[in-house]
Amino acid sequence: MEKIDQWIAGIPQASSDAAVLSVFDPVSGQAYAECPRGSAADISAAVNAARSAFPAWSALKASDRAFWLNRLADAIEIRSEAFCLCESRDTGKPLALVREIEIPRAIANFRFFAAAATQSLDRAYHQEAGLNYTLHQPLGVVGVISPWNLPLYLLSWKLAPALAAGNCVIAKPSEITPMSADLLARTAQEIGFPAGVLNIVQGAGDTVGAALVAHPEVKAISFTGSTAVGHRIAAVCADQFKKVTLEMGGKNPALVFPDAPAHAAKSLVRAAFQNSGQICLCGSRILVHRDVYAAFKQSFVAESAALKLGAPADSTTQLGPVMSEAHFNKVLAYIAKAKGDGGTVLCGGGAVKPEGCDGWFIAPTVIEGLPMDSDFCQDEIFGPVVSLHAFDDDDHALALANASRYGLAATVWTGDLVRAHRMARELECGIVWINTWMQRDLRTPFGGMKQSGLGREGGLEAMTFFTEPKTVCIGNLPNG
Ligand code: NAD
């Protein structure tokens, strides 16, 4: 069994009561590591460590904080293969995917916010009522809570701006994928990152996560995860008037028009099934104009059925397993229910066992014939499953796309710029991609509307969230 630590004040340690959780390899379905099952006492210890580190960290010049974030990025890059191996082992993702996207993007997040640290948000106003300037000061100790689907990538997306703005952080990674956060803390320690500035407490959400959210000395919570947990966290934060951002679930529509570019079907297969559909931005409701529905269906289903599932280290593997046994059973139950609700399975539809893999693999599944108000089309399933629907015109496409309690992202596939702008305006979601998917400029706001999110991450939004603005007004001199 591999051993994972939690990191408080730069010191690797077990939980206060030595309790542990098993960590499973989704490819084999077997436990392969033990992770501390942190407690409220561990959160208190981490808060004390972070409070002690805060005066020195927040007093650093912005360029010195940028130096540390860049140094951490460099150190991850040097150990990049170790990060890829641990992330792939923990999640079952194809190694190629973590090498190409997730670890490079995590490194980029630290570099981006290192630069942002030196771009002050402070402003000055004069000639109206004295001289006014605004300070954007760090909040103090903040908590970041992340999910299992993109473990280091999403953690870095929160850690980097929180640290860049001068806060000290307690991170609570998912208990299902604790490995890369452990390696990150170990890396930070190895480069002499100031102790207590970045603390990692491992363990279950309803104990250690809840203790972090409820701690009165934790001034803000940045959460990414399910809408159900976000709802609970929001209630606790509201009670304490604590700042909170919530990045939650999605049920993203893709709108394919008759003038869609030729690459639409191929791109949408990637947008539907990358990471086995376990990305909050995956398109899971594919809406196609009736005139091109049959042709699109044929190529989309053929491409989906051809995806190769397998072991992460096999360079031909395109899809890995889903993340846990509970999740595997949940996805299969939705497929079974869809069949009962009138859906026709066009490809996939069940569990598979690629050669040498006994874990939680589900074949890419495409279903048609389901009403938009069915559970399959309304609930976030978060697996390799999508539904296809035909629409008649632009208004019908918008009505189907917006018929969801979620509002995270959408893709629109058309060669008509006027139509693209209308869709972008009227789709109820935080991100609209036109003829593309998952391209990211880190300066843009990131997040969702409706039950997908509250607040935004990214660029200026993240730096603003992790700071408190203060206005200072210097009165005019009597004859000024
Ligand atoms: P989850 O909500 O079960 O868990 C997320 C994190 O919250 C974990 O670290 C968990 O331990 C912790 N947690 C659980 N209960 C808690 C509580 N009561 N108090 C504090 N923390 C608690 O989500 P998950 O299953 O790990 O991840 C999948 C979900 O994440 C999906 O819904 C997906 O859409 C969402 N997600 C959203 C985005 C986005 O940017 N909107 C990105 C990635 C994933």
Side-chain angles (χ1 to χ4, degrees), residues 60-117:
L60 284 183
K61 283 194 291 187
S63 53
D64 289 335
R65 285 201 297 273
F67 161 83
W68 279 113
L69 291 185
N70 277 321
R71 194 146 177 218
L72 190 54
D74 293 345
I76 300 169
E77 194 162 39
I78 290 166
R79 295 159 181 77
S80 164
E81 190 56 13
F83 274 96
C84 291
L85 288 169
C86 101
E87 200 76 307
S88 172
R89 178 82 199 272
D90 218 14
T91 59
K93 292 169 200 274
L95 253 178
L97 183 69
V98 283
R99 282 189 185 130
E100 186 192 340
I101 297 180
E102 296 186 23
I103 302 304
R105 283 196 179 195
I107 295 167
N109 286 342
F110 282 110
R111 295 218 168 104
F112 175 85
F113 283 107

Side-chain angles (χ1 to χ4, degrees), residues 145-150 154 172-176 203-211 213 223-230 232-233 246-250 278-281 380 382 408 446-448 452 457:
I145 301 176
S146 49
W148 49 256
N149 64 322
L150 305 163
L154 291 177
K172 209 304 272 174
S174 170
E175 60 274 37
I176 301 176
D206 55 2
T207 50
V208 86
V213 173
F223 168 80
T224 298
S226 63
T227 298
V229 171
R232 259 176 269 151
I233 290 176
L246 304 170
E247 299 293 345
M248 303 182 287
Q278 301 169 120
I279 300 179
C280 56
L281 304 166
E380 184 190 46
F382 215 56
L408 186 54
F446 177 90
S452 287
E457 297 190 303

Side-chain angles (χ1 to χ4, degrees), residues 9-272:
I11 300 168
Q13 48 202 271
S15 61
S16 58
D17 55 6
V20 291
L21 288 166
S22 294
V23 183
F24 290 85
D25 170 359
V27 176
S28 65
Q30 302 300 314
Y32 82 101
E34 279 184 346
C35 162
R37 189 189 189 100
S39 62
D42 294 319
I43 290 291
S44 291
V47 169
N48 290 340
R51 288 185 71 191
S52 303
F54 179 69
W57 179 251
S58 58
L60 284 183
K61 283 194 291 187
S63 53
D64 289 335
R65 285 201 297 273
F67 161 83
W68 279 113
L69 291 185
N70 277 321
R71 194 146 177 218
L72 190 54
D74 293 345
I76 300 169
E77 194 162 39
I78 290 166
R79 295 159 181 77
S80 164
E81 190 56 13
F83 274 96
C84 291
L85 288 169
C86 101
E87 200 76 307
S88 172
R89 178 82 199 272
D90 218 14
T91 59
K93 292 169 200 274
L95 253 178
L97 183 69
V98 283
R99 282 189 185 130
E100 186 192 340
I101 297 180
E102 296 186 23
I103 302 304
R105 283 196 179 195
I107 295 167
N109 286 342
F110 282 110
R111 295 218 168 104
F112 175 85
F113 283 107
T118 62
Q119 307 300 310
S120 173
L121 298 171
D122 301 345
R123 289 159 298 181
Y125 305 90
H126 61 106
Q127 292 190 329
E128 185 67 31
L131 168 63
N132 294 270
Y133 62 91
T134 53
L135 298 173
H136 285 82
Q137 297 175 304
L139 305 174
V141 179
V142 300
V144 307
I145 301 176
S146 49
W148 49 256
N149 64 322
L150 305 163
L152 187 70
Y153 175 24
L154 291 177
L155 187 62
S156 65
W157 187 233
K158 298 174 179 304
L159 278 180
L163 296 170
N167 302 284
C168 291
V169 182
I170 297 159
K172 209 304 272 174
S174 170
E175 60 274 37
I176 301 176
T177 53
M179 271 286 178
S180 52
D182 181 46
L183 184 54
L184 178 72
R186 192 172 301 282
T187 302
Q189 186 215 38
E190 282 169 12
I191 61 168
F193 203 86
V197 171
L198 163 57
N199 305 279
I200 310 265
V201 181
Q202 304 275 14
D206 55 2
T207 50
V208 86
L212 177 59
V213 173
H215 199 293
E217 290 300 329
V218 174
K219 302 300 181 197
I221 294 290
S222 174
F223 168 80
T224 298
S226 63
T227 298
V229 171
H231 191 258
R232 259 176 269 151
I233 290 176
V236 177
C237 289
D239 207 38
Q240 297 185 17
F241 299 111
K242 189 174 285 193
K243 281 182 106 172
V244 64
T245 55
L246 304 170
E247 299 293 345
M248 303 182 287
K251 191 73 188 177
N252 308 310
L255 285 65
V256 182
F257 292 90
D259 55 359
H263 66 90
K266 206 176 178 61
S267 300
L268 278 170
V269 169
R270 191 173 75 87

